[in-house]
Amino acid sequence: MLKILKYSFYDLMRSRWSYVYFVFYLVLGFVLLFLNNNVSKAVITLMNVIIILVPLIGTIFGVMYYYNSKEFTGLLLAQPIKRSLIFLGQYLGVALSLSMSLIIGLGIPFILYGIFRSDAIWDFSLLLITGTFLTLIFTALSFNIALSNENRIKGFGYAILLWLFMAVIYDGIFLMSLMIFEDYPLDTFSLTATMFNPIDLSRVLILLKLDISALMGYTGALFQKFFGTNFGMFLSIGILILWVVIPAWFIERKANRKDF
Amino acid sequence: MIEIRGLYKKYGKNEVLKGVDLAIEEKKIVAVLGPNGSGKTTFIKSILGMVLPSKGDIIMEGKSIKKEWKYRNNIDYLPQIANFPNNLTVKELINMIKDLRQKKSADDGALVELFKLEPFLNKKLGNLSGGTKQKVNILLTFMFDSPIIILDEPTSGLDPISLIRLKELIDTEKKKGKTIIITSHIMNFVEEVADEIVFLLEGKIYFKGSISELKEKTNQPDFEHAIASILTQSYA
């Protein structure tokens, strides 16, 4: 698998898009630090960007890479390599190169600004960790979509829909149900609903770490009580890991049952 | 020896292979023929494990190939359509496949020479013509020394000289005692190289035997007409 990973990674590192993505984060990091002149504020702004953009790029890149490398995959399938490893290798190749663009692209400006001397180092690390998780999660989901759809237009369509649902529609439904059922106790519901969407979960994690939960009223207090503890933190990370492992397992299953 | 036992394959409602039983003996060149859509490529891809049979089994050297992958070390495969990653150069592709195969004894130099690929080695695969891609494809197939060679439409897009070289290549491989499976629509080519014909029709084996047996069976003086007579009969 490492060899497939190596070649996929190498292939992506030579494509223009990885650099565009990297330069985008580099510029974003510098601009935010320059304008805010405050690491914590920059982290909050970055969070808002990352939480929407990372899943979008992960999904689009995953689908695009899968369809574009179909020929390469065909070539590999006739070689003495285990089938599931080909796809897991390609998946990790995409996800890791995207994560690297994110981490290095944001890392450089923040290191130059002096993040190591600032007390926002943990907030910033958490931001990068959740960003990496979101990349891994959404690339895995997009590989599943691409593996199930031979037709690229359909594949792209479903991928965009998935992102739209997770990033926008889910929150809408969530808020609507909170309003409709406001007479009922909704503590467990809102906690569970947050857990089921990796984007929401990452957002809550970062917001709570930044200690601005007071802005969120009662829900904030509730979330603070839950996620603020070590147990809540570990549970959230655990759920993020599940969000990576389960789709990756599905990639393996789908790849093993598909005709090429 | 490759043994195919009761092979069925369905794509959704479309039944492509409907019970293929076949034993491919060692050291022979077998041509799999049939009209378009008769299931030749599906048949070949089943042997390679790229297509998973709906029913039936394929036994290679006494072992079922289900969920196996190491047996592919013994197979060199030439795919029908030469599609490669476009942003790799020919040289990088050759090295990559060597690396993935973990066989150090690849004979790519002689083949580069044979097909005059020297000037293309540092060009990107996306910029090559169809015929040159097919030559690269042939090179990748023949550079390893595996006991089984599977060629899916090897002649497509080749110029006459390369075609002659390909025939020579197949001939030398045969003399080395290899099992070769070929599909082709070029009947002259098949007649020249094949020891045995397997004719697929609507997902079943319609005929299996030598070319002279086929001529006898159909009462036709030459091979091309013999094949044509099977086809007209089946379409009538």
Side-chain angles (χ1 to χ4, degrees):
Chain A
M1 183 169 80
L2 282 175
K3 268 182 191 159
I4 308 280
L5 201 162
K6 185 179 92 188
Y7 284 112
S8 291
F9 191 78
Y10 180 59
D11 190 33
L12 277 162
M13 277 295 128
R14 298 207 307 186
S15 90
R16 202 158 21 108
W17 291 109
S18 302
Y19 292 105
V20 173
Y21 191 52
F22 164 72
V23 170
F24 171 79
Y25 279 123
L26 196 70
V27 172
L28 185 72
F30 274 120
V31 167
L32 284 180
L33 285 172
F34 183 69
L35 291 179
N36 282 319
N37 221 351
N38 176 326
V39 179
S40 285
K41 277 185 188 157
V43 169
I44 297 176
T45 319
L46 266 182
M47 178 204 78
N48 283 317
V49 177
I50 282 183
I51 265 172
I52 298 300
L53 194 69
V54 163
L56 179 67
I57 299 289
T59 343
I60 299 293
F61 245 74
V63 178
M64 206 165 74
Y65 184 81
Y66 177 86
Y67 287 124
N68 275 344
S69 61
K70 259 192 157 166
E71 294 102 41
F72 178 52
T73 314
L75 194 69
L76 293 176
L77 281 166
Q79 305 299 328
I81 306 165
K82 204 172 159 193
R83 209 187 241 212
S84 48
L85 295 187
I86 297 176
F87 291 94
L88 287 179
Q90 287 185 347
Y91 155 61
L92 285 178
V94 177
L96 292 183
S97 77
L98 287 179
S99 307
M100 263 183 57
S101 294
L102 172 80
I103 292 171
I104 301 176
L106 286 181
I108 293 174
F110 275 81
I111 287 171
L112 290 182
Y113 190 80
I115 185 80
F116 289 121
R117 277 177 281 116
S118 126
D119 46 4
I121 174 86
W122 291 113
D123 300 344
F124 182 66
S125 324
L126 187 68
L127 185 75
L128 291 186
I129 290 170
T130 48
T132 309
F133 265 119
L134 285 176
T135 308
L136 285 167
I137 291 168
F138 279 87
T139 315
L141 292 174
S142 72
F143 259 68
N144 273 301
I145 291 174
L147 270 167
S148 326
N149 290 287
E150 276 303 295
N151 184 336
R152 342 182 139 208
I153 307 288
K154 262 193 187 169
F156 267 103
Y158 287 135
I160 298 280
L161 268 182
L162 170 82
W163 171 77
L164 201 64
F165 178 79
M166 289 298 206
V168 183
I169 300 172
Y170 190 93
D171 282 358
I173 296 173
F174 183 41
L175 286 176
M176 291 244 291
S177 46
L178 285 185
M179 277 170 63
I180 292 170
F181 299 106
E182 63 184 338
D183 296 339
Y184 299 90
L186 290 166
D187 315 21
T188 341
F189 169 74
S190 49
L191 276 176
T192 332
T194 309
M195 292 283 188
F196 274 110
N197 184 341
I199 297 184
D200 279 347
L201 187 58
S202 314
R203 185 186 288 132
V204 168
L205 266 181
I206 299 170
L207 282 180
L208 290 174
K209 193 86 192 64
L210 289 174
D211 247 357
I212 45 173
S213 56
L215 296 176
M216 301 199 298
Y218 172 67
T219 333
L222 174 75
F223 277 26
Q224 182 66 55
K225 210 178 104 201
F226 181 74
F227 289 103
T229 57
N230 276 342
F231 170 72
M233 195 66 160
F234 280 121
L235 188 68
S236 318
I237 299 280
I239 284 173
L240 284 178
I241 291 174
L242 276 186
W243 264 103
V244 178
V245 173
I246 294 173
W249 178 67
F250 267 103
I251 292 178
E252 193 198 348
R253 231 173 70 118
K254 283 220 170 76
N256 278 333
R257 294 180 180 186
K258 197 172 150 73
D259 294 313
F260 290 92
Chain B
M1 171 125 154
I2 307 167
E3 233 184 302
I4 292 119
R5 291 183 191 157
L7 194 67
Y8 285 82
K9 181 63 202 176
K10 252 191 205 170
Y11 293 108
K13 282 183 180 163
N14 181 18
E15 210 169 12
V16 182
L17 295 178
K18 302 169 190 165
V20 174
D21 284 283
L22 183 69
I24 297 170
E25 288 163 50
E26 261 168 54
K27 300 178 187 178
K28 272 204 170 170
I29 301 187
V30 180
V32 180
L33 307 179
N36 300 332
S38 56
K40 298 183 296 283
T41 299
T42 303
F43 174 74
I44 279 183
K45 285 188 169 174
S46 307
I47 297 179
L48 283 159
M50 289 169 81
V51 165
L52 311 167
S54 315
K55 229 161 65 179
D57 204 356
I58 296 167
I59 313 290
M60 204 167 278
E61 288 168 14
K63 262 204 218 153
S64 167
I65 62 161
K66 263 183 204 158
K67 291 183 179 164
E68 281 290 329
W69 53 274
K70 286 195 182 101
Y71 77 95
R72 282 201 285 270
N73 262 317
N74 296 328
I75 302 178
D76 291 330
Y77 167 59
L78 180 91
Q80 186 170 21
I81 302 160
N83 272 331
F84 301 116
N86 283 334
N87 51 356
L88 282 180
T89 66
V90 177
K91 211 175 191 169
E92 282 168 334
L93 181 70
I94 294 172
N95 289 333
M96 183 181 89
I97 297 290
K98 272 197 217 167
D99 184 29
L100 288 170
R101 276 245 171 180
Q102 297 179 309
K103 276 191 185 171
K104 299 286 169 276
S105 61
D107 191 19
D108 52 312
L111 287 165
V112 168
E113 184 88 359
L114 184 69
F115 286 106
K116 305 271 176 285
L117 284 171
E118 196 72 55
F120 301 104
L121 279 181
N122 288 318
K123 287 209 172 127
K124 292 210 166 160
L125 284 150
N127 301 332
L128 298 184
S129 75
T132 316
K133 270 190 194 171
Q134 182 68 359
K135 287 185 199 170
V136 175
N137 202 6
I138 291 173
L139 182 144
L140 289 177
T141 311
F142 283 95
M143 72 182 180
F144 299 110
D145 196 22
S146 310
I148 300 166
I149 300 175
I150 298 178
L151 308 170
D152 198 354
E153 293 285 348
T155 55
S156 66
L158 287 184
D159 54 43
I161 303 171
S162 306
L163 194 59
I164 293 171
R165 302 249 156 81
L166 175 68
K167 280 183 203 160
E168 288 168 359
L169 209 57
I170 291 175
D171 215 41
T172 43
E173 294 301 313
K174 192 197 169 186
K175 278 181 189 137
K176 282 188 205 162
K178 296 195 177 178
T179 314
I180 305 176
I181 303 172
I182 300 179
T183 76
S184 181
H185 283 295
I186 315 287
M187 289 306 144
N188 291 333
F189 175 74
V190 172
E191 197 172 6
E192 263 177 72
V193 298
D195 298 318
E196 204 177 59
I197 309 289
V198 173
F199 198 90
L200 284 180
L201 203 59
E202 285 161 12
K204 283 182 184 160
I205 294 182
Y206 180 85
F207 172 84
K208 177 182 184 281
S210 69
I211 291 172
S212 53
E213 280 167 8
L214 183 72
K215 286 179 192 164
E216 249 172 62
K217 191 181 174 185
T218 52
N219 274 326
Q220 295 288 338
D222 67 88
F223 181 53
E224 208 157 5
H225 282 91
I227 294 289
S229 88
I230 298 179
L231 290 180
T232 43
Q233 270 171 29
S234 74
Y235 282 132

